[in-house]
Amino acid sequence: MKIRNFAVAAFLGVACFASAGAQAATFEITYSGQGTSGTAWVTGTAVGGGEYDLTGGVLHSNTLGNQKLVLGSGSFENANGDVFVYDNKLFVPAAAPASPDGANLTYAGGIVFQTALPSKKDIYFSAYYMGANNPTIFYFAGYDRSYGALTSFNVTAVPEASTWLMMLAGFTSIGFAGYRKSRNARNSIA
């Protein structure tokens, strides 16, 4: 009886902890195309309608190494003098109700990852229209690197640590219940 009470208390405690930080989320972004690929992990705060304001992140490119997310919003000038607008908004899913263009990133502004100011290793992502009402993700990496539409750009929600703890607590209570049931069955046979 004590074990079951402990499992229920642990599950409820973790559930309360998880609900307290439910507004923040972590996402994994994978991309490929234009002779490169990479993975980014970003965190953001939900503002409604599937829109997240990004508050931090890192990216690992297979060709350009590691970069950090440029925080906030504004305009970014690369080493060649090209100016890009960024707003650090992410829409999940791409067709989230708040998305103005049906893409994970807004047409008016994207996100920038960089190693230094400015650098040939800077990476910029934004929505881009290749045709009528067909938003794809535009990619630009450094001034002498490739740019254009990516062949893939995927955003996946990463479960928070509290979610993993809730699942662990649930599995633990199921395991305890199974153990008690098998123990009771053994005792009734003996």
Side-chain angles (χ1 to χ4, degrees), residues 13-80:
V14 173
C16 290
F17 176 77
S19 64
Q23 292 298 321
T26 302
F27 300 95
E28 180 183 68
I29 299 172
T30 56
Y31 70 92
S32 64
Q34 304 303 325
T36 189
S37 65
T39 302
W41 295 270
V42 295
T43 56
T45 303
V47 295
E51 179 180 344
Y52 293 84
D53 288 338
L54 298 184
T55 56
V58 294
L59 177 141
H60 176 74
S61 164
N62 72 331
T63 55
L64 298 175
N66 298 322
Q67 295 94 355
K68 290 172 66 174
L69 178 70
V70 176
L71 298 177
S73 62
S75 60
F76 172 80
E77 184 174 341
N78 69 8
N80 197 37

Side-chain angles (χ1 to χ4, degrees), residues 48-52 90-104:
E51 179 180 344
Y52 293 84
L90 184 68
F91 299 93
V92 182
S99 175
D101 52 16
N104 287 118

Side-chain angles (χ1 to χ4, degrees), residues 73-180:
S73 62
S75 60
F76 172 80
E77 184 174 341
N78 69 8
N80 197 37
D82 299 313
V83 177
F84 302 105
V85 176
Y86 65 96
D87 59 11
N88 287 348
K89 294 190 181 301
L90 184 68
F91 299 93
V92 182
S99 175
D101 52 16
N104 287 118
L105 303 169
T106 56
Y107 180 74
I111 59 178
V112 176
F113 293 90
Q114 69 179 21
T115 54
L117 285 173
S119 167
K120 291 183 179 184
K121 295 185 176 186
D122 302 332
I123 293 181
Y124 174 78
F125 298 109
S126 182
Y128 178 71
Y129 287 101
M130 295 301 289
N133 299 321
N134 183 23
T136 56
I137 301 299
F138 174 83
Y139 166 84
F140 190 96
Y143 74 84
D144 61 350
R145 308 285 180 176
S146 58
Y147 63 92
L150 291 170
T151 54
S152 74
F153 186 90
N154 299 305
V155 178
T156 307
V158 176
E160 297 178 33
S162 57
T163 303
W164 287 107
L165 286 173
M166 274 193 339
M167 290 185 343
L168 178 61
F171 289 136
T172 302
S173 63
I174 291 170
F176 282 137
Y179 170 76
R180 286 180 51 100

